[in-house]
């Protein structure tokens, strides 16, 4: 009954606040037609010795120089741009900007082919588009990072095309098998000076190049509506989906399924969990897969030094704002650090709330199912986000679902600027 009351409380709050949010968010875009509106941001990037210690989650609305906060939505693109450069600098490495003239796209039947030429080297990418059997073109598109773990009947019953981003075309770093090592992948032929990158910057770069191709060819050729692009993935690909959606503002909807540590979870809170006596380890900054991140992240911010990291992953999630984000959790798998994702998402939500558009972000953390196997109880939340943000239908997307035990987490301690 407690859990039911928790959900009903959010449902009532969502109903009461819906009209106010619609009014406040009426002039705020749902998506953009450019990759990064804040590309010109120039954040302060302190070294470890220069950084201030912040035990709680940093305020995502505070300017990187510590002088004031974002108050108006018009200021957000600059602050978002600051966060993007912070995450690249400290965590994942550079996601290079690509001039449109360097991209050449064609369609071979239903397969999108994109060639990217940089520094005299060409990287070839391709992805097959699977068109729906219902509706009319141009279609919304759901892109799966490495694959789509969401149940087929959710999207196959709707007029939504699908496409898989095969990340190995760019960089096949993963926790599986024996990678060749940094600097030895397709991406590195184009950018040999970025060999210290983690995989997530390069995977985000790759997905953006597919979007370049779709945008270049246009809906008459691709049959795809660029204003209704979604990205999703699960587990390590859930992290990938979050990075891809966060770093490209042409993505209207990001569904990060069981992304674990290094995804939606906050490094700081995961560190706190791992310090508790007898705690079962969760994925954190000290024990994630460092094929994915810069080695310097662990070297400089391991252990309690994480408190000196100028950002945390609630800000990665907040980069999706004002677009739509749904985070799906599975607390049966302790490694995924879902209590940390709960803290992080509650911090991120404050950004959407600041602009009166909190119905564009949610989380659903539900036990009782296998890893990357969506619980039946989560179908309505996923369907609501897809219907509203890919198909333009009315739906209740105020989703704040977590286990009863999470109510014992002291959010004020971790989000003191609320």
């Amino acid at each position: 009954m407690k859990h039911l009351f928790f959900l009903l409380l959010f449902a009532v709050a969502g109903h009461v606040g819906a009209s106010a949010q619609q009014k406040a968010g009426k002039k705020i875009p749902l998506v953009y037609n450019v990759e990064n509106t804040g590309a010109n941001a120039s954040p302060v990037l302190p070294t470890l010795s220069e950084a201030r210690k912040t035990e709680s989650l940093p305020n995502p609305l505070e300017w990187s120089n510590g002088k004031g906060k974002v108050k108006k939505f018009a200021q957000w693109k600059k602050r978002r741009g600051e966060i993007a450069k912070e995450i690249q600098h400290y965590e994942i490495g550079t996601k290079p900007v690509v001039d449109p003239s360097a991209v050449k796209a064609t369609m071979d039947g239903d397969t999108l082919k994109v060639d990217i030429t940089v520094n005299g080297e060409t990287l070839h990418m391709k992805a097959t588009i699977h068109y729906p059997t219902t509706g009319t073109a141009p279609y919304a598109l759901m892109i799966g990072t490495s694959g789509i773990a969401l149940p087929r009947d959710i999207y196959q019953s709707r007029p939504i095309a699908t496409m898989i981003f095969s990340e190995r075309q760019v960089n096949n770093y993963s926790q599986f098998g024996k990678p060749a090592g940094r600097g030895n992948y397709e991406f590195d032929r184009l950018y040999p000076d970025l060999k210290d990158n983690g995989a997530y910057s390069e995977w985000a770069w790759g997905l953006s190049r597919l979007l370049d191709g779709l945008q270049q060819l246009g809906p008459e050729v691709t049959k795809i509506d660029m204003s209704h692009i979604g990205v999703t993935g699960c587990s390590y690909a859930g992290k990938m989906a979050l990075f891809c959606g966060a770093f490209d503002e042409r993505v209207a909807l990001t569904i990060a399924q069981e992304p674990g540590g290094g995804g939606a979870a906050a490094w700081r809170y995961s560190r706190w969990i791992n310090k508790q006596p007898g705690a079962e380890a969760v994925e954190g900054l000290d024990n994630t897969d460092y094929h994915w991140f810069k080695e310097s992240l662990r070297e400089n911010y391991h252990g309690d030094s994480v408190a000196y990291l100028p950002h945390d992953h609630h800000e990665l999630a907040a980069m999706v704002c004002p677009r739509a984000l749904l985070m799906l959790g599975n607390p049966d798998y302790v490694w995924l650090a879902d209590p940390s994702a709960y803290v992080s998402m509650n911090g991120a939500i404050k950004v959407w709330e600041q602009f009166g558009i909190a119905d564009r972000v949610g989380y659903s953390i539900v036990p009782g199912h296998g890893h990357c196997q969506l619980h039946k109880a989560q179908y309505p939340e996923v369907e609501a986000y897809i219907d509203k943000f890919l198909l333009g239908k009315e739906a209740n997307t105020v989703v704040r679902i977590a286990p009863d035990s999470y109510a014992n987490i002291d959010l004020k301690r971790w989000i003191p600027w609320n």
Side-chain angles (χ1 to χ4, degrees):
M1 290 300 292
K2 280 186 183 178
H3 190 58
L4 180 59
F5 176 75
F6 186 43
L7 300 189
L8 286 174
L9 183 63
F10 278 120
V12 171
H15 178 73
V16 171
S19 60
Q21 288 176 352
Q22 288 171 359
K23 184 177 180 180
K26 191 174 181 180
K27 296 181 180 180
I28 295 180
L30 287 163
V31 71
Y32 295 87
N33 62 1
V34 295
E35 182 177 345
N36 182 10
T37 59
N40 294 325
S42 298
V44 175
L45 300 170
T47 63
L48 179 61
S49 62
E50 296 169 337
R52 59 180 175 175
K53 187 176 184 179
T54 307
E55 299 280 3
S56 59
L57 301 188
N59 188 339
L61 293 167
E62 182 178 277
W63 298 109
S64 70
N65 62 10
K67 299 179 181 179
K69 302 178 181 68
V70 170
K71 294 182 179 179
K72 298 179 180 179
F73 177 71
Q75 299 172 310
W76 173 242
K77 68 177 181 180
K78 179 180 176 181
R79 175 59 192 140
R80 181 191 163 278
E82 286 189 343
I83 295 169
K85 290 186 176 179
E86 288 172 349
I87 292 173
Q88 289 174 80
H89 180 77
Y90 295 105
E91 287 200 16
I92 62 174
T94 301
K95 180 191 178 188
V97 175
V98 176
D99 190 278
S101 64
V103 178
K104 180 181 179 181
T106 58
M107 287 292 293
D108 182 2
D110 292 345
T111 298
L112 171 69
K113 293 186 174 182
V114 181
D115 292 343
I116 309 99
T117 302
V118 177
N119 295 322
E121 295 284 343
T122 300
L123 187 151
H124 306 283
M125 298 182 66
K126 64 180 181 179
T128 299
I129 301 173
H130 299 277
Y131 294 99
T133 57
T134 183
T136 56
Y139 302 104
L141 175 68
M142 178 63 83
I143 303 174
T145 51
S146 195
I148 301 178
L150 296 176
R152 285 176 168 271
D153 54 329
I154 288 181
Y155 50 88
Q156 286 191 334
S157 62
R158 291 170 164 80
I160 298 173
T162 60
M163 183 172 79
I164 302 301
F165 165 45
S166 178
E167 76 277 14
R168 293 192 174 211
Q169 296 177 95
V170 177
N171 182 333
N172 67 340
Y173 279 164
S174 80
Q175 73 272 52
F176 307 112
K178 295 181 179 180
R182 293 181 191 270
N184 295 306
Y185 296 97
E186 286 298 293
F187 175 91
D188 301 299
R189 291 193 296 103
L190 277 62
Y191 302 101
D193 57 326
L194 297 179
K195 65 179 182 179
D196 293 330
N197 270 13
Y200 284 121
S201 61
E202 300 178 8
W203 288 337
W205 176 92
L207 184 126
S208 290
R209 306 293 70 83
L210 291 180
L211 296 187
D212 287 347
L214 291 171
Q215 194 170 44
Q216 183 183 105
L217 294 173
E220 297 82 6
V221 176
T222 66
K223 303 178 185 177
I224 296 301
D225 178 1
M226 283 296 297
S227 65
H228 290 97
I229 302 288
V231 62
T232 187
C234 188
S235 198
Y236 90 98
K239 299 185 208 349
M240 196 192 314
L242 181 55
F243 275 104
C244 288
F247 276 86
D248 199 314
E249 293 181 280
R250 293 170 293 185
V251 175
L253 170 63
T254 301
I255 301 179
Q257 187 178 4
E258 303 181 39
W267 293 129
R268 283 167 170 81
Y269 194 82
S270 295
R271 169 63 180 165
W272 181 85
I273 292 174
N274 284 333
K275 286 178 64 177
Q276 301 312 299
E280 184 176 346
V282 302
E283 184 178 13
L285 188 151
D286 296 304
N287 58 0
T288 190
D289 189 317
Y290 268 84
H291 294 124
W292 299 334
F293 300 95
K294 294 174 66 176
E295 288 285 355
S296 58
L297 175 66
R298 177 168 51 187
E299 292 166 1
N300 293 324
Y301 300 100
H302 63 277
D304 290 337
S305 295
V306 70
Y308 293 95
L309 190 65
H311 68 277
D312 212 318
H313 274 226
H314 64 306
E315 292 172 278
L316 171 65
M319 279 180 61
V320 178
C321 182
R323 297 163 295 124
L325 169 64
L326 177 63
M327 195 285 292
L328 302 169
N330 186 348
D332 288 347
Y333 294 80
V334 175
W335 177 252
L336 295 176
D338 277 342
S340 184
Y342 168 77
V343 172
S344 183
M345 288 300 298
N346 274 284
I349 283 169
K350 303 306 176 186
V351 175
W352 279 267
E353 288 180 345
Q354 173 73 17
F355 308 125
I357 52 173
D359 60 330
R360 300 185 188 182
V361 59
Y363 56 83
S364 176
I365 305 171
V366 176
H369 56 105
H371 185 42
C372 295
Q373 297 176 18
L374 192 71
H375 196 292
K376 279 286 186 182
Q378 294 175 298
Y379 278 46
E381 291 99 57
V382 174
E383 290 176 323
Y385 269 75
I386 287 175
D387 283 343
K388 186 168 186 174
F389 300 111
L390 291 189
L391 298 178
K393 298 181 178 180
E394 288 296 321
N396 179 10
T397 50
V398 180
V399 178
R400 314 282 189 269
I401 300 172
D404 291 339
S405 61
Y406 288 18
N408 297 322
I409 295 174
D410 186 0
L411 289 178
K412 289 184 179 180
R413 170 183 173 182
W414 295 95
I415 313 172
W417 34 266
N418 178 17

